[in-house]
Coordinates of all heavy atoms in Angstrom, one line a residue:
R886 N -48.4 -116.2 35.2 CA -48.7 -117.2 34.2 C -47.9 -118.5 34.6 O -46.8 -118.4 35.0 CB -48.2 -116.7 32.8 CG -48.8 -115.4 32.3 CD -48.3 -115.1 30.9 NE -46.9 -115.0 30.9 CZ -46.2 -114.9 29.7 NH1 -46.8 -115.0 28.6 NH2 -44.9 -114.8 29.8
E887 N -48.6 -119.6 34.4 CA -47.9 -120.8 34.7 C -48.5 -122.0 33.8 O -49.6 -121.9 33.3 CB -48.1 -121.2 36.2 CG -49.5 -121.4 36.6 CD -49.7 -121.9 38.0 OE1 -48.7 -122.5 38.5 OE2 -50.7 -121.6 38.6
K888 N -47.7 -123.0 33.7 CA -48.2 -124.2 33.0 C -48.4 -125.3 34.0 O -47.5 -125.6 34.9 CB -47.2 -124.7 31.9 CG -47.6 -125.9 31.2 CD -46.6 -126.6 30.4 CE -47.1 -127.9 29.8 NZ -46.0 -128.6 29.0
L889 N -49.5 -125.9 34.0 CA -49.8 -127.0 34.9 C -49.3 -128.3 34.4 O -49.7 -128.7 33.3 CB -51.3 -127.1 35.2 CG -52.0 -125.8 35.6 CD1 -53.5 -126.0 35.7 CD2 -51.4 -125.3 37.0
D890 N -48.4 -129.0 35.1 CA -47.9 -130.3 34.6 C -48.5 -131.4 35.3 O -47.9 -132.5 35.5 CB -46.4 -130.3 34.8 CG -46.0 -130.1 36.2 OD1 -46.8 -129.8 37.1 OD2 -44.8 -130.3 36.5
T891 N -49.8 -131.3 35.7 CA -50.5 -132.3 36.4 C -50.7 -133.5 35.4 O -51.1 -133.3 34.2 CB -51.9 -131.8 36.8 OG1 -51.7 -130.6 37.7 CG2 -52.6 -132.9 37.7
L892 N -50.6 -134.7 35.9 CA -50.8 -135.9 35.1 C -52.3 -136.1 35.0 O -53.0 -136.3 36.0 CB -50.1 -137.1 35.7 CG -50.5 -138.5 35.0 CD1 -50.0 -138.4 33.5 CD2 -49.8 -139.6 35.8
V893 N -52.9 -136.1 33.8 CA -54.3 -136.3 33.6 C -54.4 -137.8 33.0 O -53.9 -138.0 31.9 CB -54.9 -135.3 32.6 CG1 -56.4 -135.7 32.4 CG2 -54.8 -133.9 33.2
Q894 N -55.1 -138.6 33.7 CA -55.2 -140.0 33.3 C -56.5 -140.1 32.5 O -57.6 -139.8 32.9 CB -55.3 -140.9 34.5 CG -54.0 -141.0 35.3 CD -54.2 -141.8 36.6 OE1 -55.3 -142.1 37.1 NE2 -53.0 -142.3 37.1
F895 N -56.3 -140.5 31.2 CA -57.4 -140.6 30.3 C -57.5 -142.0 29.7 O -56.5 -142.6 29.4 CB -57.3 -139.6 29.2 CG -55.9 -139.5 28.5 CD1 -55.6 -140.4 27.5 CD2 -55.0 -138.7 29.0 CE1 -54.4 -140.3 26.9 CE2 -53.7 -138.6 28.4 CZ -53.4 -139.5 27.3
P896 N -58.7 -142.5 29.5 CA -58.8 -143.9 29.0 C -58.5 -143.9 27.5 O -58.8 -143.0 26.7 CB -60.3 -144.2 29.2 CG -61.0 -142.9 29.3 CD -60.0 -141.9 29.8
I897 N -58.0 -145.0 27.0 CA -57.7 -145.3 25.6 C -59.0 -145.7 24.9 O -59.3 -145.3 23.8 CB -56.6 -146.3 25.4 CG1 -55.3 -145.9 26.1 CG2 -56.3 -146.5 23.9 CD1 -54.7 -144.6 25.7
R898 N -59.8 -146.5 25.7 CA -61.1 -147.0 25.1 C -62.2 -146.7 26.2 O -61.9 -146.6 27.3 CB -61.0 -148.5 24.8 CG -60.0 -148.8 23.7 CD -60.0 -150.3 23.4 NE -59.0 -150.6 22.4 CZ -57.7 -150.8 22.6 NH1 -57.3 -150.7 23.9 NH2 -56.9 -151.1 21.6
D899 N -63.4 -146.7 25.6 CA -64.6 -146.7 26.5 C -64.7 -145.5 27.4 O -65.0 -145.6 28.6 CB -64.7 -148.0 27.3 CG -64.9 -149.2 26.4 OD1 -65.5 -149.1 25.3 OD2 -64.4 -150.3 26.8
L900 N -64.3 -144.3 26.9 CA -64.6 -143.1 27.6 C -66.1 -142.8 27.6 O -66.7 -142.5 26.5 CB -63.8 -141.9 27.0 CG -64.1 -140.5 27.6 CD1 -63.8 -140.5 29.1 CD2 -63.4 -139.4 26.9
D901 N -66.8 -142.9 28.7 CA -68.2 -142.9 28.8 C -68.7 -141.5 29.2 O -68.4 -141.0 30.2 CB -68.7 -143.9 29.8 CG -70.2 -144.2 29.7 OD1 -70.9 -143.5 28.9 OD2 -70.7 -145.1 30.4
F902 N -69.5 -140.9 28.3 CA -70.1 -139.6 28.6 C -71.6 -139.6 29.0 O -72.2 -138.6 29.1 CB -70.0 -138.7 27.3 CG -68.6 -138.0 27.2 CD1 -67.6 -138.6 26.5 CD2 -68.4 -136.8 27.7 CE1 -66.4 -138.0 26.4 CE2 -67.2 -136.1 27.6 CZ -66.2 -136.7 26.9
S903 N -72.1 -140.8 29.2 CA -73.5 -140.9 29.5 C -73.9 -140.2 30.8 O -75.0 -139.6 30.9 CB -73.9 -142.4 29.7 OG -73.1 -143.0 30.7
E904 N -73.0 -140.0 31.8 CA -73.3 -139.3 33.0 C -73.2 -137.8 32.8 O -73.7 -137.0 33.6 CB -72.3 -139.7 34.1 CG -70.9 -139.4 33.8 CD -70.0 -139.7 35.0 OE1 -70.3 -139.1 36.1 OE2 -69.1 -140.4 34.9
F905 N -72.6 -137.3 31.7 CA -72.5 -135.9 31.4 C -73.5 -135.4 30.4 O -73.8 -134.2 30.4 CB -71.1 -135.6 31.0 CG -70.0 -136.0 31.9 CD1 -69.2 -137.1 31.6 CD2 -69.8 -135.3 33.1 CE1 -68.2 -137.5 32.5 CE2 -68.8 -135.7 34.0 CZ -68.0 -136.8 33.7
V906 N -74.0 -136.2 29.6 CA -75.0 -135.8 28.6 C -76.4 -135.7 29.2 O -76.9 -136.7 29.7 CB -75.0 -136.7 27.4 CG1 -76.1 -136.3 26.4 CG2 -73.6 -136.7 26.7
I907 N -77.0 -134.6 29.2 CA -78.3 -134.4 29.9 C -79.5 -134.6 29.0 O -80.6 -134.7 29.4 CB -78.4 -133.0 30.5 CG1 -78.4 -131.9 29.5 CG2 -77.3 -132.8 31.5 CD1 -78.7 -130.5 30.0
K908 N -79.2 -134.8 27.7 CA -80.3 -135.1 26.8 C -80.9 -136.5 27.1 O -80.1 -137.4 27.4 CB -79.8 -135.0 25.3 CG -80.8 -135.5 24.3 CD -80.1 -135.6 22.9 CE -81.1 -136.2 21.9 NZ -80.4 -136.4 20.6
P909 N -82.2 -136.6 27.0 CA -82.7 -138.0 27.2 C -82.0 -139.0 26.4 O -81.9 -138.9 25.1 CB -84.2 -137.8 26.8 CG -84.5 -136.4 27.0 CD -83.2 -135.6 26.7
K910 N -81.6 -140.1 27.0 CA -80.8 -141.1 26.4 C -81.5 -142.2 25.7 O -82.6 -142.6 26.1 CB -79.7 -141.6 27.4 CG -78.9 -140.5 28.0 CD -78.0 -141.1 29.1 CE -77.1 -140.0 29.7 NZ -77.9 -138.9 30.2
N911 N -80.8 -142.8 24.8 CA -81.3 -144.0 24.1 C -80.6 -145.2 24.8 O -79.5 -145.5 24.5 CB -81.0 -144.0 22.6 CG -81.6 -145.2 21.9 OD1 -82.2 -146.1 22.5 ND2 -81.5 -145.2 20.6
D912 N -81.3 -145.9 25.7 CA -80.7 -147.0 26.5 C -80.3 -148.2 25.6 O -79.5 -149.0 26.0 CB -81.6 -147.4 27.6 CG -81.9 -146.3 28.6 OD1 -81.0 -145.4 28.8 OD2 -82.9 -146.3 29.3
S913 N -80.9 -148.3 24.5 CA -80.7 -149.4 23.6 C -79.4 -149.2 22.8 O -79.0 -150.2 22.1 CB -81.8 -149.6 22.6 OG -82.0 -148.5 21.8
A914 N -78.8 -148.0 22.8 CA -77.6 -147.8 22.1 C -76.5 -147.1 22.9 O -76.3 -145.9 22.8 CB -77.9 -146.9 20.8
P915 N -75.9 -147.9 23.9 CA -74.9 -147.2 24.8 C -73.7 -146.8 24.1 O -73.0 -145.9 24.6 CB -74.6 -148.4 25.8 CG -75.0 -149.6 25.0 CD -76.1 -149.3 24.1

Side-chain angles (χ1 to χ4, degrees):
R886 299 184 303 168
E887 64 174 334
K888 179 191 175 184
L889 306 176
D890 59 352
T891 306
L892 174 63
V893 178
Q894 296 178 336
F895 47 87
I897 305 297
R898 295 181 183 85
D899 297 327
L900 174 60
D901 192 355
F902 274 89
S903 58
E904 63 175 303
F905 302 107
V906 177
I907 64 172
K908 174 189 172 183
K910 300 175 180 58
N911 184 356
D912 297 332
S913 62

